[in-house]
Amino acid sequence: MSVPLSASIADETSAEPVTRSRPALSPSRAADFKQCPLKYRLRAIDRVPEPPTRAAVRGTVVHAVLEDLFGLPAAERGPDRAAELVPGAWERVRAGREGLDELVAAGGPEALFEEVRRLVAGYYELEDPTRFDPDGLEERVEVDLDGEIPLRGFVDRIDVAPNGLLRVVDYKTGRAPGPQHEARALFQLKFYALVILRTRGILPAQLRLIYLADKVLLTYTPDREELDRFARILTALWQAILDAGRTGDFPPQRNSMCRYCDFHALCPEFGGTPPPYPGWPTRDATTTDIDLGLPLVRTPEDV
């Protein structure tokens, strides 16, 4: 039986309420639940730490470089200047998370710098950053859909043209998705389009994913009726998450992404045992970056 989406959920197996900040829907967390409910639980509810990977660190540094690049005057945003920003971006990322020195020990930071510089150089084949000024960088976007469903995310860049048309841009340091993964990319674009529509009252003219590894642009032109349908999809997804949160039933689901998962030791599909269910968080506190899938070092699927 369905209950109001705003209803609080208590852990039926625990006598004590769990006081942790509430989970929220981001593109990453929504994808987690659709892909594997147990993965969603371990990330969003149990908050099991995940070790960073070299690819995730590289992606985080690339994002930091591009953010710093657009902080410069337009005339100074050439490729040579972008390359010079890499060491400083690395130091910012390194300062925010322990253990990164060991992760890049093979070849040292200079090897990582060269990987980052190659990806940033590829960016210049797709856009000319000297020809426009972004309206927002690494902007946190959030809205409670219909007053009840918390949607949260960070958008890499928002552009607003002189005529008021708005474009949302997200950078990816991995390769462009094949046909089997295009739906996930489209889901992310629709998610951002909906949040922008609800927060700014503007239907974005274009949403763009920039895949730096193979220099591919994926663009999407949203339609208001399509976004209304998408809002109903998110409503149904959130209801399913609340139902699972009430019962603690987050079943594992084996799929092609399992090979990238850090939770094998806790997954019955791989002979592991999940920890006892801690219950759904009951404190309506400010959502943290962990809820959003936005750690100081990005997860592999976020880059």
Side-chain angles (χ1 to χ4, degrees):
M1 180 178 68
S2 176
V3 298
L5 296 182
S6 57
S8 63
I9 299 179
D11 178 11
E12 296 176 352
T13 66
S14 173
E16 296 294 329
V18 181
T19 54
R20 286 168 281 116
S21 57
R22 63 173 179 163
L25 269 185
S26 68
S28 294
R29 294 295 77 80
D32 284 345
F33 187 81
K34 293 196 300 178
Q35 181 188 113
C36 174
L38 179 60
K39 182 178 183 180
Y40 172 89
R41 186 204 123 175
L42 295 173
R43 276 184 167 169
I45 300 176
D46 296 70
R47 312 288 176 81
V48 177
E50 295 177 77
T53 65
R54 184 184 180 88
V57 172
R58 181 176 61 234
T60 304
V61 176
V62 169
H63 280 75
V65 169
L66 293 174
E67 181 182 7
D68 291 345
L69 182 70
F70 281 104
L72 299 174
E76 298 180 20
R77 297 178 197 152
D80 291 341
R81 185 71 179 95
E84 294 171 358
L85 296 173
V86 174
W90 157 249
E91 288 300 328
R92 280 179 31 227
V93 173
R94 177 173 172 262
R97 180 81 178 253
E98 295 182 359
L100 300 192
D101 288 334
E102 293 81 359
L103 195 64
V104 301
E110 282 299 330
L112 178 71
F113 293 173
E114 286 306 308
E115 295 170 21
V116 171
R117 288 184 177 117
R118 282 196 296 271
L119 290 166
V120 172
Y123 167 71
Y124 284 85
E125 298 183 34
L126 301 171
E127 288 186 330
D128 181 356
T130 67
R131 300 185 63 182
F132 63 92
D133 289 313
D135 184 72
L137 295 170
E138 294 293 333
E139 184 166 318
R140 177 170 179 147
V141 293
E142 53 186 311
V143 67
D144 285 351
L145 184 62
D146 298 329
E148 298 178 322
I149 307 169
L151 305 183
R152 308 287 187 269
F154 274 81
V155 178
D156 290 336
R157 199 180 83 218
I158 297 176
D159 304 329
V160 178
N163 61 2
L165 294 179
L166 186 147
R167 178 173 66 189
V168 177
V169 179
D170 197 71
Y171 310 115
K172 298 293 185 184
T173 53
R175 296 195 175 278
Q180 68 273 27
H181 296 299
E182 285 182 356
R184 179 182 177 122
L186 188 58
F187 183 96
Q188 179 179 5
L189 291 176
K190 290 181 181 180
F191 187 100
Y192 288 144
L194 178 63
V195 175
I196 293 294
L197 176 61
R198 295 298 179 93
T199 55
R200 296 197 179 201
I202 300 173
L203 180 68
Q206 186 184 83
L207 295 104
R208 172 178 289 183
L209 286 174
I210 300 179
Y211 289 91
L212 299 173
D214 44 12
K215 305 179 186 66
V216 170
L217 295 177
L218 180 63
T219 60
Y220 166 62
T221 301
D223 172 86
R224 188 180 292 267
E225 291 184 1
E226 185 179 13
L227 292 184
D228 288 340
R229 292 192 296 271
F230 185 69
R232 293 193 289 272
I233 291 173
L234 293 183
T235 299
L237 180 62
W238 187 244
Q239 179 67 72
I241 290 173
L242 292 185
D243 290 343
R246 184 176 303 104
T247 63
D249 183 20
F250 290 87
Q253 184 170 310
R254 187 184 285 266
N255 57 76
S256 63
M257 298 300 290
C258 288
R259 64 183 182 272
Y260 303 114
C261 184
D262 292 316
F263 300 130
H264 287 186
L266 302 175
C267 179
E269 290 291 319
F270 294 89
T273 302
Y277 179 53
W280 186 265
T282 58
R283 178 163 56 93
D284 189 11
T286 300
T287 307
T288 67
D289 285 353
I290 297 176
D291 299 320
L292 302 176
L294 297 161
L296 293 172
V297 174
R298 298 169 185 246
T299 55
E301 60 267 33
D302 291 325
V303 300

